[in-house]
């Protein structure tokens, strides 16, 4: 319950997560070709107001995962 509440708060306070949701210039995959590692990274927004979201769906910890920005 607390996890969902925090995610909702984050979504409401980070305009980049919902602004121009369907505009292609405001979404960019940064890592999508690492299915074997179960890692996905994307950027929402543009410029200073952008947010980078990284998801690790594996049971392995990646200390310094390389990502092109």
């Amino acid at each position: 319950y607390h996890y969902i509440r925090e995610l909702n708060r984050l979504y409401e306070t980070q305009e980049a997560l919902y602004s121009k949701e369907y505009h292609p210039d405001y979404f960019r995959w940064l890592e999508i070709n690492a299915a074997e590692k179960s890692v996905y990274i994307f950027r929402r927004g543009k410029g200073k107001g952008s947010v980078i979201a990284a998801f690790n769906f594996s049971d392995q910890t990646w200390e310094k995962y390389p990502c092109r920005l």
Side-chain angles (χ1 to χ4, degrees), residues 5-45:
R5 186 172 51 189
E6 184 62 21
L7 282 175
N8 285 336
R9 186 199 64 77
L10 182 65
Y11 183 79
E12 290 174 347
T13 60
Q14 298 297 316
E15 186 178 350
L17 294 176
Y18 60 84
S19 179
K20 300 189 182 196
E21 186 172 4
Y22 298 105
H23 195 290
D25 290 343
Y26 287 78
F27 180 89
R28 180 173 165 217
W29 282 108
L30 300 176
E31 180 64 86
I32 194 171
N33 296 316
E36 72 284 352
K37 295 179 181 176
S38 298
V39 173
Y40 302 91
I41 305 170
F42 64 84
R43 184 183 72 210
R44 281 282 296 135

Side-chain angles (χ1 to χ4, degrees), residues 43-62:
R43 184 183 72 210
R44 281 282 296 135
K46 207 169 186 182
K48 287 186 178 183
S50 65
V51 172
I52 295 176
F55 299 91
N56 176 10
F57 293 107
S58 74
D59 59 355
Q60 188 169 5
T61 301
W62 303 99

Side-chain angles (χ1 to χ4, degrees), residues 61-65:
T61 301
W62 303 99
E63 292 292 329
K64 294 182 179 181
Y65 193 86

